[in-house]
Amino acid sequence: QVQLVESGGDSVQPGGSLRLSCTPSYAGYTYRQICMGWWRQAPGQEREAVAAISSDNRANYADSVKGRFTIIRDHATNSLILQMDSLKPDDTATYYCTAGWPGPCMVKFLKPFERATQGTRVTVSA
């Protein structure tokens, strides 16, 4: 069974940038053909969907990250990328990758992956 592995989290100052990656554990996983996305959860907070990208590479974002985050597929590494710029302290959270949820490929319908993933921790502080 395929698993999704997130990486790239770190501690940065406000205004900084980070690049998160999500790589399927199985190299043959047809990630290009399915909807994929990112969600995050801060300690003591509800889960928040962040970004989604369709099989034809249409992206949509939560209002809280629009204009600052970019979701793309890196075909060279078979990975899903979340480029995060102009980071704010409110972006502090553990970020999780997901794929293939039922329903439209939009942030508002995003669901966590069917198998739990480890996530990658992002901390934004001065």
Side-chain angles (χ1 to χ4, degrees), residues 33-113:
Q33 301 175 15
I34 59 173
C35 181
M36 299 191 73
W38 291 90
W39 59 279
R40 66 187 181 185
Q41 189 162 24
Q45 301 293 317
E46 293 289 318
R47 182 178 70 218
E48 180 186 16
V50 173
I53 187 167
S54 66
S55 58
D56 59 352
N57 292 323
R58 287 176 294 163
N60 62 103
Y61 302 91
D63 288 344
S64 58
V65 306
K66 200 171 294 183
R68 300 186 298 119
F69 290 12
T70 305
I71 186 171
I72 57 175
R73 299 177 190 266
D74 183 343
H75 298 320
T77 59
N78 200 41
S79 297
L80 179 71
I81 304 296
L82 185 67
Q83 177 66 41
M84 306 189 297
D85 298 314
S86 302
L87 282 162
K88 305 175 180 180
D90 285 349
D91 295 319
T92 295
T94 298
Y95 285 69
Y96 300 87
C97 179
T98 184
W101 61 88
C105 189
M106 298 181 68
V107 166
K108 64 183 294 185
F109 296 102
L110 188 150
K111 297 286 193 299
F113 194 54

